[in-house]
């Protein structure tokens, strides 16, 4: 395994330090989440890239499979994976095709310079379905094509995929981002429906198609509805859809998607900014989740595809925004905040050409540069969240105010007792600033017990890429086949005196305290 220099450059002056206090509630606070499933942290895979993540039955992708297994090994719970996206919505299924996946427009399929790349017409063969048997300890939310408007082919695809998945199927999801079916523009040749397409048209299709497909499915609701895009706005909403007659009998969950920033935007301004995260998430989901809890409490709300940022028109991947330590810190803050909003689960997006992906499973070309299979920054935020969840029972999460504009805290309660505290310092600091790295001394009061164990998610600066990031002194890399390797020792055990302990956190860093 390659050795990396993880040391921070020596700075002669003392770093600026400030203080803050968090009074830890002994009992579960009123702003805490509902009881959470240990499978709260899910993943999502762009359909075009599925076989790259799994490999084949004869040649499985060991790096990728070990990365998937990381989450099960930590929580002991099955990982929910949403398999779909724009590419899947453009699938045609041919069980007689020898190749796993083909397209008549490879130059578009391999490009992320416009939505046309994702809209390229793909044909998949039966061997594409092999991946459903390769990843263990998984429940699938499996998307079926709606955009191509070929019901008979979708029924065939559903039947054959169910034969492979069996009990590992959670839901079939019909279509992807139907709110954009009429919005991409005829000049690109990718309109999926006419300009007049509205929720009532989607509901008519959904009800007809799910009724037809359900004839081949086990009894009970087995569909995930809507899968609305990051840009969903009135009239596209759960309330509009159910008012139009969306089938409650066949709908197990509803889903929407979320990307907070866009390539080229400010890391500090959009991701490492708790107020922005809260504002955007509230505006996007709060009313919609509350509507579902009020009107359809038996149908959970899932954020079925999510990541730090979308690309932009240049097509140039922004690794600083989407794949850095700062991205990992946003991942922690955002996922824990969604718990308090009442989402059932989030699925963090993977794709071979997405810098926001937790890892790239194979060597690939981005911006005309060959990039090896590698771990990316957001993975470390995901594994931090998995560690906070752990194998705890009746888990609830609450946000703690710190009194510091850059530090956000969350507490995890198991069976009503505080077990873990997450602290995230979202102040962006870079080595290029040529100033000492700031830190905050957080005084935690109201604690019970004699000590806390402190694990760190850290790196040389907020823009550090995955090869310089460590979680609990460990790294997961392609060189280690996705298995954790200890590269430093920075876990601390601190004494609790009189119910109080002081913890120092650096700018652009996160700490997980086990109480």
């Amino acid at each position: 395994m390659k050795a990396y220099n993880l040391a921070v450059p020596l700075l002669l002056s003392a770093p600026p330090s400030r203080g803050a206090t968090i009074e830890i509630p002994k009992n579960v606070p009123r702003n805490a989440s509902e009881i959470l499933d240990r499978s709260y942290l899910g993943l999502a895979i762009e359909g075009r890239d599925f076989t790259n993540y799994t490999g084949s039955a004869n040649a499985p992708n060991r790096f990728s499979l070990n990365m998937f297994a990381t989450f099960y090994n930590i929580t002991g719970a099955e990982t929910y994976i949403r398999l779909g996206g724009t590419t899947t919505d453009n699938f045609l299924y041919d069980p007689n095709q020898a190749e796993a996946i083909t397209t008549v427009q490879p130059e578009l399929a391999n490009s992320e310079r416009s939505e046309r790349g994702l809209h390229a017409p793909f044909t998949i063969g039966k061997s594409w379905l092999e991946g459903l048997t390769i990843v263990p300890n998984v429940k699938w939310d499996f998307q079926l094509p709606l955009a191509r408007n070929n019901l008979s082919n979708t029924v065939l695809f559903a039947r054959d995929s169910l034969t492979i998945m069996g009990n590992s199927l959670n839901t079939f999801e019909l279509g992807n981002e139907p709110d954009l079916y009429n919005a991409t523009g005829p000049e690109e040749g990718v309109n999926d429906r006419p300009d007049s397409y509205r929720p009532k048209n989607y509901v008519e299709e959904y009800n007809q198609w799910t009724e037809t497909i359900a004839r081949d499915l086990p009894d009970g609701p087995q569909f995930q509805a809507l899968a609305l895009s990051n840009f969903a706005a009135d009239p596209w909403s759960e309330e509009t859809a159910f008012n139009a007659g969306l089938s409650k009998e066949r709908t197990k969950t509803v889903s929407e998607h979320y990307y907070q920033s866009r390539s080229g935007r400010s890391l500090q301004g959009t991701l490492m900014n708790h107020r922005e995260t809260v504002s955007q998430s509230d505006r996007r989901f709060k009313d919609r989740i509350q509507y579902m809890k009020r009107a359809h409490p038996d149908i959970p709300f899932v954020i079925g595809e999510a990541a730090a940022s979308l690309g932009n028109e240049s097509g140039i991947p922004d690794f600083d925004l989407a794949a850095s330590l700062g991205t990992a810190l946003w991942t922690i803050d955002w996922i824990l905040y969604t718990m308090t909003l009442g989402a059932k689960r989030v699925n963090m997006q993977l794709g071979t050409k997405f810098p926001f992906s937790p890892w790239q499973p194979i060597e690939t070309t981005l911006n005309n540069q060959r990039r090896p299979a590698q771990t990316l920054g957001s993975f470390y935020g995901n594994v931090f969240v998995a560690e906070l969840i752990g194998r705890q029972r009746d888990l609830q999460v609450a946000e703690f105010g710190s009194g510091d504009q850059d530090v956000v805290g969350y507490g995890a309660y198991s069976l009503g007792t505080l077990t873990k505290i997450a602290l995230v310092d979202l102040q962006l600091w870079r080595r290029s600033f040529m100033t000492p790295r700031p830190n905050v001394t957080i005084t935690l009061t109201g604690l019970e017990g004699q000590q806390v164990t402190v694990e760190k998610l850290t790196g040389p600066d907020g823009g550090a890429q995955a090869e310089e990031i460590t979680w609990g002194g460990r790294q997961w890399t392609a060189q280690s086949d996705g298995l954790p390797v200890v590269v430093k020792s920075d876990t601390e055990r601190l004494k609790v005196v009189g119910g109080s302990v002081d913890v120092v956190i650096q700018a652009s860093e996160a700490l997980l305290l086990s109480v």
Side-chain angles (χ1 to χ4, degrees):
M1 178 179 172
K2 182 178 178 181
Y4 297 104
N5 179 10
L6 299 173
V8 177
L10 180 63
L11 296 166
L12 297 179
S13 57
S17 181
R18 56 193 192 276
T21 299
I22 299 178
E23 173 70 31
I24 305 297
K26 179 180 178 180
N27 300 314
V28 180
R30 294 180 62 183
N31 69 331
S33 70
E34 299 173 351
I35 292 175
L36 301 167
D37 194 297
R38 284 186 290 125
S39 294
Y40 187 90
L41 173 61
L43 299 170
I45 307 174
E46 184 66 47
R48 172 197 60 190
D49 304 326
F50 181 49
T51 56
N52 295 325
Y53 277 92
T54 64
S56 66
N58 294 327
N61 187 321
R62 294 297 176 192
F63 165 50
S64 199
L65 293 181
N66 285 331
M67 295 291 271
F68 283 122
T70 299
F71 303 101
Y72 177 79
N73 292 340
I74 293 171
T75 67
E78 291 172 310
T79 302
Y80 282 71
I81 299 180
R82 183 257 186 169
L83 177 55
T86 303
T87 56
T88 309
D89 219 8
N90 286 271
F91 277 179
L92 185 70
Y93 177 56
D94 181 359
N96 299 313
Q97 177 176 285
E99 298 88 352
I101 184 167
T102 62
T103 177
V104 297
Q105 293 179 281
E107 73 283 357
L108 297 181
N110 292 325
S111 170
E112 298 301 339
R113 292 191 176 275
S114 78
E115 283 297 301
R116 288 175 293 180
L118 297 176
H119 281 83
F122 296 91
T123 302
I124 62 167
K126 213 163 192 175
S127 60
W128 185 89
L129 297 171
E130 279 186 5
L132 298 168
T133 67
I134 294 172
V135 187
N137 303 311
V138 161
K139 284 287 190 181
W140 298 102
D141 291 304
F142 188 92
Q143 188 201 318
L144 300 171
L146 176 65
R148 278 202 169 193
N149 210 5
N150 189 330
L151 175 57
S152 61
N153 191 256
T154 292
V155 170
L156 177 62
F157 186 39
R159 185 184 304 128
D160 283 3
S161 61
L162 180 61
T163 300
I164 300 294
M165 283 184 288
N167 291 333
S168 65
L169 173 69
N170 180 49
T171 64
F172 277 126
E173 180 182 74
L174 185 61
N176 177 73
E177 301 180 349
D179 54 306
L180 300 183
Y181 278 4
N182 64 356
T184 50
E187 69 279 357
E188 292 188 353
V190 290
N191 287 70
D192 297 313
R193 295 295 187 273
D195 290 345
S196 60
Y197 193 77
R198 294 293 184 270
K200 65 181 181 64
N201 306 111
Y202 164 78
V203 167
E204 290 171 359
E205 293 181 336
Y206 177 89
N207 288 347
Q208 177 193 351
W209 286 45
T210 57
E211 181 179 12
T212 302
I213 297 166
R215 295 169 189 158
D216 290 320
L217 299 182
D219 293 338
Q222 289 285 9
F223 291 91
Q224 182 158 280
L226 294 175
L228 299 179
S229 80
N230 189 59
F231 309 104
D234 290 339
W236 289 93
S237 70
E238 290 72 24
E239 184 171 6
T240 303
F242 280 106
N243 286 344
L246 186 80
S247 170
K248 295 189 287 289
E249 293 74 19
R250 290 188 294 277
T251 300
K252 187 174 183 179
T253 51
V254 295
S255 170
E256 298 199 22
H257 301 165
Y258 184 76
Y259 295 84
Q260 183 160 310
S261 190
R262 292 187 73 88
S263 295
R265 292 182 179 172
S266 162
L267 183 58
Q268 179 75 87
T270 62
L271 297 184
M272 296 180 67
N273 185 326
H274 181 64
R275 290 182 298 278
E276 182 72 8
T277 295
V278 169
S279 175
Q280 288 204 42
S281 299
D282 283 357
R283 184 168 60 249
R284 183 71 183 78
F285 297 120
K286 199 167 191 175
D287 290 346
R288 292 166 182 250
I289 291 174
Q290 288 306 311
Y291 163 78
M292 289 302 299
K293 290 186 179 300
R294 181 177 66 253
H296 307 286
D298 296 330
I299 302 177
F301 187 103
V302 173
I303 304 176
E305 177 185 314
S309 66
L310 287 167
N312 57 23
E313 292 180 358
S314 71
I316 299 174
D318 188 341
F319 280 80
D320 181 68
L321 183 73
S324 64
L325 174 58
T327 317
L329 299 178
W330 169 82
T331 301
I332 298 167
D333 185 25
W334 181 75
I335 294 178
L336 297 185
Y337 185 70
T338 64
M339 293 176 175
T340 70
L341 281 178
K344 171 69 173 179
R345 184 170 55 256
V346 299
N347 296 85
M348 305 306 290
Q349 181 75 353
L350 296 95
T352 58
K353 296 182 180 298
F354 306 150
F356 54 68
S357 176
W359 69 94
Q360 291 177 332
I362 60 170
E363 184 180 276
T364 190
T365 299
L366 285 172
N367 195 28
N368 297 319
Q369 293 182 357
R370 297 297 294 173
R371 293 183 178 270
Q374 60 181 312
T375 304
L376 296 171
S378 66
F379 172 81
Y380 286 93
N382 291 324
V383 76
F384 182 108
V385 171
E387 292 277 11
L388 179 138
I389 295 170
R391 300 185 177 222
Q392 301 185 85
R393 294 170 54 197
D394 291 352
L395 176 69
Q396 293 175 270
V397 168
E399 182 183 345
F400 295 152
S402 71
D404 187 286
Q405 65 176 0
D406 293 311
V407 177
V408 60
Y410 295 90
Y413 293 80
S414 176
L415 297 170
T417 300
L418 179 76
T419 55
K420 296 185 181 182
I421 300 169
L423 299 174
V424 187
D425 191 327
L426 294 166
Q427 181 182 2
L428 177 62
W429 182 82
R430 298 184 189 270
R431 286 167 284 189
S432 61
F433 292 171
M434 297 305 294
T435 58
R437 188 172 187 170
N439 63 60
V440 184
T441 299
I442 305 291
T443 300
L444 303 171
T445 63
L447 295 175
E448 296 183 343
Q450 297 180 336
Q451 71 173 16
V452 295
T453 300
V454 183
E455 296 176 283
K456 299 180 181 181
L457 173 61
T458 192
D461 73 0
Q465 297 293 298
E467 62 266 23
E468 294 185 303
I469 299 172
T470 58
W471 158 243
R474 294 163 290 168
Q475 290 186 324
W476 288 252
T477 69
Q479 294 94 327
S480 69
D481 263 350
L483 297 173
V485 175
V486 176
V487 297
K488 62 190 294 189
S489 177
D490 61 2
T491 297
E492 299 178 277
R493 288 175 176 81
L494 304 178
K495 289 184 178 180
V496 176
V497 179
S500 178
V501 66
D502 289 343
V503 182
V504 179
I505 183 171
Q506 297 185 107
S508 303
E509 189 172 75
L511 307 179
L512 183 60
L513 285 63
S514 297
V515 180

